[in-house]
Amino acid sequence: MAQPGAYIADPTEGITRVEDLPKPRVLKRSRNYRRRACPNCGRSGYRLRTWARVLHDLGDPATGRPRDLHVTYSQHRCPHCNTYFNADMDDLALPRCHYTHRVVSTAVRLVVEDGLPYRVASWHLWRDHRVFVPFATIQNWVEAGGEKSAAAGRRRVPGRRPAPLQRVHRRR
Ligand SMILES: [Zn+2]
């Protein structure tokens, strides 16, 4: 353990019971407001109730523990146009997604830039970033992003590792 490059196995390797995995560190975030501007008409909407949402973030590399954000947020009603809406938290995560933007972009990069197969990317996220993402979820993210980049006129990158040279010298 004294010299650089010494192999140190992942301490969670071989753990079969989920209770034995390191407990997540919980960070509280608030998107809870009395009034918010209505996204439909721009007038003020009052708070109807408060909800909570858990977002899995990239883990803490210092302690090796996963990291969860517990987000408290307000739901509002606009009395002027009868619109129901939630306090904005697009800076943290996409609607209905259980993971922060940082997790999604790291996962997509592992597949698109590094060419890792989905299962390997899933394992990498756990081992080095302490966030568990099922490989099918990563596949959904990559395919959703692929549609976007195809729409932007870019080539879709396959899930398997392309040889770097082959990529450079590919004829168009
Ligand atoms: Zn409104």
Side-chain angles (χ1 to χ4, degrees):
M1 203 154 162
Q3 77 276 32
Y7 171 71
I8 302 159
D10 175 36
T12 66
E13 187 147 17
I15 289 180
T16 51
R17 303 191 319 160
V18 72
E19 313 89 83
D20 295 336
L21 290 171
K23 294 276 174 293
R25 192 169 153 233
V26 173
L27 301 174
K28 297 203 181 298
R29 291 286 180 272
S30 177
R31 295 294 184 272
N32 188 9
Y33 310 94
R34 281 186 56 224
R35 311 193 74 91
R36 287 274 97 181
C38 170
N40 187 45
C41 73
R43 293 157 90 180
S44 182
Y46 61 86
R47 179 170 57 206
L48 209 56
R49 56 176 77 86
T50 303
W51 297 105
R53 176 183 184 196
V54 175
L55 295 172
H56 306 302
D57 197 7
L58 295 178
D60 180 359
T63 59
R65 284 167 66 190
R67 188 153 42 186
D68 281 349
L69 304 185
H70 284 204
V71 187
T72 308
Y73 66 95
S74 41
Q75 188 189 46
H76 300 258
R77 178 178 175 267
C78 174
H80 310 285
C81 69
N82 198 32
T83 295
Y84 292 77
F85 59 96
N86 293 330
D88 183 30
M89 52 192 141
D90 290 353
D91 59 316
L92 295 175
L94 291 173
R96 288 181 298 281
C97 186
H98 298 292
Y99 299 89
T100 63
H101 291 306
R102 302 201 302 162
V103 172
V104 177
S105 55
T106 304
V108 170
R109 273 202 302 272
L110 288 171
V111 173
V112 172
E113 289 183 11
D114 302 339
L116 297 186
Y118 296 119
R119 283 172 198 275
V120 179
S122 173
W123 168 241
H124 179 95
L125 282 173
W126 171 257
R127 192 195 61 190
D128 292 344
H129 300 289
R130 285 294 185 256
V131 57
F132 176 71
V133 188
F135 77 91
T137 302
I138 301 177
Q139 185 169 3
N140 288 340
W141 292 340
V142 170
E143 286 174 358
E147 279 157 29
K148 272 186 215 127
S149 46
R154 280 188 279 145
R155 188 171 56 85
R156 251 188 94 172
V157 181
R160 295 223 160 257
R161 177 189 287 275
L165 282 176
Q166 190 188 328
R167 234 159 137 191
V168 170
H169 295 299
R170 177 170 292 159
R171 273 170 295 178
R172 308 207 167 240

